[in-house]
Amino acid sequence: LRGLRGNVRGVVFTEPLWGIPYNLYAPYMSVYMLALGLTDAQIGLLASIGLAGQMVWTMLSGALTDKFGRKRTTLITDIIAWSIPCLIWAVAQDFNAFLLAAIVNSTWRITHNSWLCLLVEGTEPHLLVEVYSLIYISGLLAAFFSPIASILIAEFSLIPTMRGIFLLSFVMMTTKFITMNAMVEETPQGRV
């Protein structure tokens, strides 16, 4: 970790600010929807719509990343794909709110592409395996925070806890996106 420089440093060092909140809410998302009155069929429909949106954005992600650059695309679509849905989920009352969040969240496929370009372009090829390992380990360590959500749910009940976790996720993820953007530079290929 100490030897990381350039874009890879910004990408790796800020990753826990996304992984921790994601692992706090992800295991409880469907239970949260059920508690707000959604049916199993509606939850399945939301998953299908989200996947369909991801397919569309995956096909467009390369062109968008090349058009606007890796750095700008990552910042804008991270905020769209993660920060905005966290706010929607925090105040959601019905199927329509979750539908809107699923459609907006499906744009994460764009940022996945641009984020990988920021990570890989300009990183020494011999470091890539180590860098991917560090990101993988970061994700595994972030999962250790998920029991905190169950403790909070037991203390404060599901819906208020999830709303709080989504607000915390909004703050942490948005901080990650802004901090990472400040730590990275546009790649040479992105400038082209």
Side-chain angles (χ1 to χ4, degrees):
L1 280 172
R2 281 181 259 143
L4 296 179
R5 299 287 180 262
N7 286 356
V8 71
R9 180 182 180 94
V11 170
V12 172
F13 275 43
T14 59
E15 193 60 17
L17 289 171
W18 181 88
I20 291 170
Y22 179 80
N23 282 288
L24 286 175
Y25 73 73
Y28 299 98
M29 183 60 105
S30 60
V31 180
Y32 176 63
M33 289 189 260
L34 285 169
L36 288 170
L38 275 69
T39 65
D40 291 340
Q42 287 175 319
I43 294 170
L45 180 61
L46 289 171
S48 298
I49 290 169
L51 288 171
Q54 289 178 42
M55 288 178 6
V56 170
W57 290 116
T58 296
M59 290 186 283
L60 298 172
S61 66
L64 292 169
T65 298
D66 284 344
K67 172 82 174 162
F68 298 109
R70 283 81 170 111
K71 183 178 174 177
R72 181 184 305 159
T73 302
T74 302
L75 175 65
I76 293 169
T77 57
D78 264 339
I79 290 170
I80 292 170
W82 296 107
S83 299
I84 293 172
C86 283
L87 290 177
I88 296 170
W89 291 324
V91 299
Q93 297 290 335
D94 58 16
F95 175 80
N96 293 330
F98 285 104
L99 176 61
L100 176 62
I103 292 168
V104 174
N105 181 243
S106 70
T107 61
W108 73 266
R109 286 297 184 173
I110 301 169
T111 197
H112 185 67
N113 186 358
S114 61
W115 179 86
L116 284 173
C117 289
L118 275 176
L119 176 67
V120 172
E121 294 173 2
T123 301
E124 297 294 326
H126 70 278
L127 291 176
L128 287 176
V129 171
E130 293 173 17
V131 168
Y132 277 108
S133 296
L134 288 171
I135 291 169
Y136 182 74
I137 290 167
S138 172
L140 290 175
L141 291 174
F144 282 106
F145 286 85
S146 53
I148 293 171
S150 66
I151 294 167
L152 293 171
I153 290 168
E155 182 69 26
F156 301 107
S157 80
L158 178 70
I159 293 175
T161 299
M162 289 300 289
R163 292 192 190 287
I165 288 172
F166 286 127
L167 292 175
L168 175 67
S169 298
F170 167 79
V171 171
M172 288 182 71
M173 289 181 178
T174 304
T175 300
K176 178 242 194 292
F177 307 145
I178 293 168
T179 303
M180 188 184 80
N181 189 66
M183 293 177 73
V184 300
E185 296 178 1
E186 183 58 74
T187 67
Q189 185 61 37
R191 286 190 288 272
V192 170

